[in-house]
Amino acid sequence: MNGLEWMRTAALAVGLASLIAGCGTWVKYPDDVEPGGVSELADFPEIDRCSHLVWDALLGEHLETSAEGLYVLVEYDALAEQGESGFLLQQYVAMVNTMDPALLVDERERLAYWINGYNAAVVLGVVQQYGGDHGFSILDSGIFFDDPVYGFGGQLLSLNQVEQGVLRGDMDHPSVSSATEDVRSFIEAAHADVFPDGQVDARIHVALNCASLGCPNLRPAAPFAYRPEILDEQLDEMSVDFASNDEKGAGPQGISRLFDWYGEDFVADFGSVEAFIEAYREGGAGDVVHKVLTLVPDE
C-alpha cells in the first residue's frame, strides 16, 4: 500500500469512527415512525461541532478533473457499487439526518453542515436513480429536486427546500410555501440559524453542486468537503474557480444562468452581478458578455 492509499484508508477509517461516535444530538425514532416524522432525541452528549471527514475522503477518492481543468466529474459508477464507498456515502447521508444542526456551535458550522449535506444528497440521489445509464439526466425524473426524501436533522426535505428555503430564505418558493406547517417552521428556523442577520451569503451558489456540467464544480483539491474553520477561504476559492471558468461561469461567451436565477442574492450581497464577477474573476469583468451561457449537456 503506497502513501496515498494509506492516507485514504486512514481517512475512511477515522471517518467511519466519527459516524459511530456522532456529532450533534442524535435522533432516535420510535419503532412506528419513519425518519422525517415525529421523533425523540436520544440521550447522547450534545456535541456542537461536526467532522465531515467521511464526505471529504469519498470526494478525494471519487472525483476526476477533466483534461482542460474546467470540469470536476464524479465517478458515479464506483459509488454505485455495493462496496465500502457506496456504504460510506449512505452512512454519511444518514449521519446528516440523525443530528440536530441547531446545536452546532456557530453559523459557519451550520452552513458547512447544509452545504456538505446538500452536495452528498445530490450525489446519492444520482447514484440511486441513474442505474448505470451514462445518458441519465437529473431532468429526466422531473422531481429530482422536489422530492422530499432526504433527511436533515430528523426532517425529510427536498433539495429545493434546502437550497431555496434553508439557505436562500425564500419562503415564497413553491417548494416551501406548499409544504406543511411543520416543515415550513423547520425551514424558517434552520435559515435563521444559518443567517441570523438575514443577509444571505451569495457565495453559497458556487458551493452547491446540482449534478450537471453547467453547475459549479465540487472542490477539485483537498480539503474536498467544506470545513467550518476555513469556510470563508474555501468559498472565496470556489468563487474564483466559477467566475473564472469561461465555459460555465463568466466570459466572452456569456455568464452562467445562476446569475439570472439568483441575481437578487448577488445584488443584495455584492451590489450587482457585475461586482461579484469583477471581484472574483481572474482578469476582471472587462471581456465578459452579459448574456446567458448556453447550457451544456447534463452529466
Side-chain angles (χ1 to χ4, degrees), residues 68-88:
E68 73 280 11
L70 295 176
Y71 300 98
V72 177
L73 308 175
V74 178
E75 297 174 348
Y76 289 113
D77 284 330
L79 287 169
E81 294 175 357
Q82 297 300 312
E84 179 185 46
S85 292
F87 169 76
L88 286 176

Side-chain angles (χ1 to χ4, degrees), residues 230-288:
I230 56 171
L231 185 56
D232 280 318
E233 177 185 338
Q234 290 178 303
L235 291 175
D236 280 341
E237 289 173 356
M238 296 311 294
S239 294
V240 172
D241 181 271
F242 184 65
S244 302
N245 190 321
D246 288 354
E247 291 195 16
K248 64 166 63 184
Q253 304 304 313
I255 60 175
S256 170
R257 197 173 294 271
L258 287 179
F259 294 123
D260 182 32
W261 290 336
Y262 307 123
E264 62 189 83
D265 294 346
F266 291 97
V267 170
D269 198 9
F270 290 90
S272 66
V273 168
E274 291 78 7
F276 173 86
I277 295 172
E278 182 66 37
Y280 287 109
R281 185 171 183 267
E282 295 175 350
D287 63 340
V288 173

Side-chain angles (χ1 to χ4, degrees), residues 11 17 21 51 77 82 95 132 149 152 173 200 205 227-228 230 234 241 243 257 268 279 285 291 294 297:
S51 168
D77 284 330
Q82 297 300 312
M95 181 274 291
V149 295
F152 293 86
H173 190 273
V200 173
H205 296 300
R227 294 168 49 182
I230 56 171
Q234 290 178 303
D241 181 271
R257 197 173 294 271
K291 67 176 183 179
T294 301

Side-chain angles (χ1 to χ4, degrees), residues 32-102:
D32 59 344
V33 175
E34 294 295 325
V38 178
S39 61
E40 57 179 310
L41 295 181
D43 188 19
F44 282 85
E46 295 184 357
I47 302 173
D48 59 6
R49 295 186 185 276
C50 184
S51 168
H52 300 282
L53 184 57
V54 168
W55 177 232
D56 189 271
L58 287 171
L59 291 176
E61 189 73 22
H62 296 293
L63 292 184
E64 178 182 355
T65 302
S66 63
E68 73 280 11
L70 295 176
Y71 300 98
V72 177
L73 308 175
V74 178
E75 297 174 348
Y76 289 113
D77 284 330
L79 287 169
E81 294 175 357
Q82 297 300 312
E84 179 185 46
S85 292
F87 169 76
L88 286 176
L89 174 60
Q90 294 181 55
Q91 292 301 301
Y92 175 76
V93 172
M95 181 274 291
V96 169
N97 183 36
T98 55
M99 61 168 295
D100 185 352

Side-chain angles (χ1 to χ4, degrees), residues 84-224:
E84 179 185 46
S85 292
F87 169 76
L88 286 176
L89 174 60
Q90 294 181 55
Q91 292 301 301
Y92 175 76
V93 172
M95 181 274 291
V96 169
N97 183 36
T98 55
M99 61 168 295
D100 185 352
L103 297 179
L104 294 175
V105 67
D106 56 29
E107 292 87 354
R108 298 290 90 182
E109 286 276 351
R110 296 174 198 132
L111 183 54
Y113 164 92
W114 286 105
I115 292 174
N116 288 322
Y118 177 96
N119 287 341
V122 168
V123 171
L124 181 60
V126 173
V127 166
Q128 291 176 331
Q129 293 188 34
Y130 94 119
D133 176 9
H134 292 183
F136 170 82
S137 168
I138 55 174
L139 302 178
D140 291 343
S141 70
I143 59 170
F144 185 85
F145 293 99
D146 287 311
D147 201 6
V149 295
Y150 302 102
F152 293 86
Q155 177 66 62
L156 288 183
L157 300 175
S158 71
L159 295 169
N160 265 335
Q161 287 172 335
V162 174
E163 180 179 13
Q164 306 294 344
V166 173
L167 293 174
R168 295 191 64 233
D170 183 1
M171 302 306 159
D172 293 325
H173 190 273
S175 66
V176 180
S177 62
S178 64
T180 65
E181 182 177 350
D182 287 346
V183 172
R184 290 198 306 272
S185 296
F186 180 91
I187 291 171
E188 289 174 358
H191 176 71
D193 283 340
V194 176
F195 298 118
D197 62 358
Q199 177 60 59
V200 173
D201 188 337
R203 296 175 301 171
I204 60 173
H205 296 300
V206 305
L208 300 178
N209 182 268
C210 65
S212 173
L213 289 176
C215 292
N217 288 324
L218 290 166
R219 286 184 54 78
F224 298 94

